[in-house]
Amino acid sequence: MKSAHIQHLYNRVGFGIIPKELARLSKKSKKNVVNELFTSSKKTTILSVDTSFLKGISFKDAKDKNKRRELQKISRKKVQELSTAWFERLNNPSEILREKMTLFWANHFVCENKNILFVQSYNNMLRENALGDFRNFTKSVSKEAAMLSYLNNKQNKKKSPNENFARELMELFTLGQDHYTEQDIKESARSFTGYNHNFKGQFNFKQGQHDDEEKIFFGKLGHFKGDDIVDIILEKKQCARFISEKIYSYFVNESINNNHVDEMVEVFYKDYDIENLMRFVLLSNWFYADENIGTKIKSPIEFLVGINTIVPYKIEKPRQVLLLQRLLGQILLSPPNVAGWKTGRNWIDSNTIVTRLRLPSVLLNNAEIAYSEIGDEETMITDFKKRKLRRKAFIKVSADWSSFEENYKKESNKELVHQIITSKINSGTEEMLERNQQLSKRDFVVQLMSLPEYQLC
Amino acid sequence: MKRRDFLKQTTFASGMFFVPQFLKAFEQLPVKTFSHKKVVIIQLKGGNDGLNTVVPFNNDIYYQQRNNIAIKQNDVFKISDEVGLHKSLKPLEDLYNKGFVSIINNVGYPNPNLSHFRSTDIWQTASDSNEYLQNGWVGRYLDYTKGNPYAAIEVDESLSLMMKGKTQNGLAITDPKMFYNSMRAPFFNNVVTNYNEAHLSEHNLGYLYNTMIDAKSSAKHIYEKSNTKSTSVEYPKNIFGKQLNTISQFINSGLETQVYYAGLSGFDTHANQAGTQERLLKVYAESMEVFINDLQKNNTFEDVLILTFSEFGRRVKQNESKGTDHGTANNVFVMGKNLKKQGLYNNLPNLGDLDKNGNLKYEIDFREIYATILDKWLQVDDVAILNKSFSKLNFV
């Protein structure tokens, strides 16, 4: 397989590739390279943090106001810990494709919660289903405690339907706007009544709160429950199209090629098997077309983890991992709203471009970074007075330069350019790089990563 | 290597003497101002419940539909025999009595979309509900006036669709000094002085370079100009207060920016609405009071028009979670010194005449408000910017 194509593949299903791996894979056929990706992502490694603080705690304890407040405080900290652990995982994944897909689904089945048990369960549910059956996946999503509470489905009861989940299920998770009516939303909401969870976050169906009367959903009549609604939605080819378009825009190109998506829909609609769909995409010729290579704007996480692939680094204070994500506009486990992060050019504005271009030197050369204090709703009201308005920080990082030296020992500065950058290069910038050939390899690679071109993959 | 050596090396290696023509031309571009008026746009994000903000305290249907979340007569301050404002808005009472506030009711659009994101996009792009625009109405205002990026500033860490035009974008900025300082880093200089202009039209790469150049050119100007003025007034210690403080600093220093955009989020109250809304409206009103008084003190209020909207209102009937679901038409607040119509602009919604989903029917298209602001306040061709003709209102 061609090196440039392997690089492209690994940029999209991972976060780049080191020269040794590239050399090894370039001896293989495309089919074998793609096969290897799936094989190495066969199993699922669960991500978890220590939640023993909840041991022996019962629903009763949580009723006590002070006790509850204390638990919530610990829980929020634990969610941040999980967020950092996730970032760590992305930097050192054993199942690359599965982890990248998990990241993708986290921006599809978007959810946020403050309860660590719920968040952890949800995150691993995404991971387990990332390459599985979309039908089961969607049903699982509807039954997770984190989602039941995020979109108010646990408040959705027979006598008082709450439409929040029903609406987003169709608008954001399965069909897209304008493919259902307000009536469909109402009937769907009725079908999901009675969904609830227990204190530990396990799904709990409350028959007494379920509206078991007949409903008419997409012209079908029946005593539907939530799972039936998912089944009926999936009968619509639009669902296969909606998901295919989203995968195409994430993994291939934000500008949709309808012919390519049509092919994907045919594959996906058959069995809603995500692995089959991904295999089809990664084996197709169009995936490797020039117009798709080096043209996608990296998400903040792709950017941060991509740097790590080249020069492994570790941010010493977990809080600063979150700070960096915030400055770039994507905090893991903390999406802006149920529609998730807007991608592509939306990642880049006057602020984020500056931060991004400076970041390699901040991370790898202990430069200083400035930022403004802006908190979430909660910190905004309660903690603001207590918090210092810090404006500058040194990000404490240990960079593993020896790994870099070892991995790239055979490459000259000139060769380094094409190892690091897969997009076209502005000719003025190319001339500048030409003039800077005499820089040490370390300085040169930092400079490469500080270019607008490095924002693309 | 030591950090200092590193920076020195890369700075020297960067060809500092080559200043691209494009950048030069850009910096010398005269600011073409059509009017010295300014607009401050504030979004209450999440869909503020307008019925519990501007309260029809004599309306039986209102209390029937909302038996445990309706605002009681005692919890409003009355502005007419029928209408009271939520008690959290009390800080605005003095401004209201002075005639600085106009409340436009029943604002919406045909075939409303009840999704936050879509409805926000509709408000931000001024599109029809079945039309998907990739640029915002303020962005198109920038296109039209060929304004600098800083002609429109969003006080946030990222830029909304509203501020993105076809050829021009506004600027997202939270702190001018920090913005300026980060642009002076050697790395940034290094890249910004070497590119070849011929490539600036290339798809995403061109976008990256152009954003970089715009940021660089604007940062210095904004910093130097706004640095001359510091605030003497104490703003509430929350993010919204801080945003308004930044805007007042820009306005009072005479920065040429014409449109500002800021937001306060958290209004998506599907459950236990009362406490949340009370808290948020308080944050809103307290900050607005300080902001307007600050502008008055600096004699700049006269040139400022403030518009507060939310992407939609809530359903008339409450749900059983002591909250409300997504609704349609809502009220819009306009604040300014010489408003033509003060107080209630029009009648409150007719709660006896709802659509088939139990939602309010709109009376005024939100784009009539934009058209009025563009035409009468900013004095530009509203049809060219909104792509359509809308009748004008008479609040300014």
Side-chain angles (χ1 to χ4, degrees), chain B residues 39-250:
Chain B
V39 184
V40 177
I41 303 165
I42 289 156
Q43 183 183 355
L44 305 180
K45 297 178 178 178
N48 176 40
D49 182 0
L51 272 177
N52 277 13
T53 305
V54 182
V55 183
F57 61 77
N58 271 336
N59 192 320
D60 292 339
I61 307 177
Y62 170 70
Y63 288 99
Q64 284 156 16
Q65 295 289 309
R66 300 182 154 206
N67 58 351
N68 46 28
I69 65 157
I71 307 289
K72 297 187 191 80
Q73 265 203 46
N74 294 336
D75 288 333
V76 300
F77 67 94
K78 294 175 186 171
I79 55 171
S80 81
D81 296 339
E82 302 286 326
V83 188
L85 300 186
H86 190 292
K87 64 175 180 196
S88 285
L89 297 180
K90 191 84 177 168
L92 298 180
E93 190 174 23
D94 181 46
L95 302 171
Y96 186 90
N97 290 336
K98 284 183 178 151
F100 294 165
V101 183
S102 176
I103 299 172
I104 310 175
N105 293 298
N106 315 318
V107 182
Y109 52 90
N111 305 312
N113 188 298
L114 277 62
S115 140
H116 293 292
F117 322 104
R118 182 63 191 138
S119 195
T120 295
D121 281 356
I122 289 169
W123 273 86
Q124 292 200 350
T125 60
S127 72
D128 288 335
S129 63
N130 59 357
E131 182 188 15
Y132 294 80
L133 295 181
Q134 295 303 315
N135 43 66
W137 73 284
V138 174
R140 295 195 303 271
Y141 170 75
L142 293 178
D143 291 341
Y144 181 83
T145 57
K146 302 198 169 37
N148 282 322
Y150 59 81
I153 294 179
E154 177 166 5
V155 185
D156 203 341
E157 296 201 331
S158 61
L159 200 64
S160 299
L161 186 54
M162 184 193 281
M163 313 294 270
K164 295 179 181 174
K166 288 178 195 133
T167 54
Q168 298 281 109
N169 280 346
L171 219 56
I173 174 167
T174 49
D175 182 325
K177 187 176 181 188
M178 212 181 310
F179 191 52
Y180 173 62
N181 279 338
S182 54
M183 257 9 112
R184 289 165 64 202
F187 270 130
F188 200 82
N189 272 329
N190 194 0
V191 181
V192 96
T193 46
N194 280 289
Y195 66 89
N196 182 327
E197 312 159 28
H199 293 256
L200 294 181
S201 59
E202 269 165 33
H203 194 61
N204 276 340
L205 190 58
Y207 176 76
L208 290 163
Y209 271 94
N210 279 315
T211 310
M212 184 180 81
I213 295 160
D214 280 359
K216 172 87 176 168
S217 317
S218 306
K220 189 171 179 230
H221 179 76
I222 295 173
Y223 172 64
E224 284 173 354
K225 189 106 193 183
S226 66
N227 198 24
T228 56
K229 201 89 192 175
S230 63
T231 326
S232 51
V233 196
E234 184 89 8
Y235 277 80
K237 297 237 183 298
N238 55 54
I239 299 299
F240 187 65
K242 201 164 171 256
Q243 286 178 317
L244 291 185
N245 190 354
T246 304
I247 294 176
S248 79
Q249 195 188 338
F250 287 155

Side-chain angles (χ1 to χ4, degrees), chain A residues 163 182-190, chain B residues 315 356-357:
Chain A
E163 295 170 4
E182 284 299 307
Q183 189 60 25
D184 292 325
I185 289 176
K186 288 193 163 156
E187 299 289 274
S188 162
R190 288 176 59 210
Chain B
R315 181 129 345 136
K356 62 183 191 333
N357 292 312

